[in-house]
Amino acid sequence: MAASGANVLRYSALGSGVFYGFYHQQTLNSHAEQQKLQRKYQTEESLIAKAKAEYTKKNMPSGSKTAGGGVISDPDDPKFDLEAYLTMKMADEAK
C-alpha cells in the first residue's frame, strides 16, 4: 500500500512539473513575441520620423533657405518665410 501512495505522489509531481514547464514556456514565448513587436514598432516609428524630416527639408520653399541650407530665422529680414520657419521648428520638435 505504501508503494502505490509513493507512485501517486511521483506521478503527480511529474504531471505538475510538465504542466509548469508548458506554462512557463508559453509565458517566455509570449514575452519574446511582445518584445519583437515592440522593436518592430520602434523601428517603423523612427523611419517615419526620418521620412517626415526629409519631406520637410525637401519641400521647403527655396526662397526661405539660406546659403547654408538653413531657414532664415530673423523676422526683420525681407526674405523671412514664417511658414518655412514654423515647419522647421515643428520638425525639430518631432526629433
Side-chain angles (χ1 to χ4, degrees):
M1 288 286 176
S4 65
N7 283 338
V8 168
L9 184 61
R10 285 181 190 157
Y11 284 112
S12 296
L14 177 64
S16 298
V18 169
F19 176 74
Y20 173 75
F22 178 75
Y23 174 76
H24 189 64
Q25 184 66 35
Q26 293 294 71
T27 303
L28 292 176
N29 287 342
S30 67
H31 182 67
E33 187 67 28
Q34 286 175 352
Q35 292 293 338
K36 182 179 174 183
L37 290 174
Q38 183 67 23
R39 283 192 305 271
K40 183 178 178 183
Y41 179 79
Q42 288 174 346
T43 302
E44 290 175 359
E45 192 175 48
S46 69
L47 288 174
I48 290 170
K50 287 179 186 176
K52 283 182 180 179
E54 288 297 320
Y55 180 81
T56 302
K57 219 186 293 184
K58 178 183 173 190
N59 292 328
M60 241 185 262
S62 60
S64 67
K65 296 179 183 176
T66 61
V71 174
I72 297 171
S73 59
D74 181 21
D76 294 330
D77 191 330
K79 293 184 179 180
F80 177 71
D81 185 8
L82 181 62
E83 181 182 359
Y85 178 73
L86 293 175
T87 304
M88 180 195 66
K89 286 297 182 182
M90 288 178 61
D92 288 344
E93 287 179 10
K95 292 179 185 177

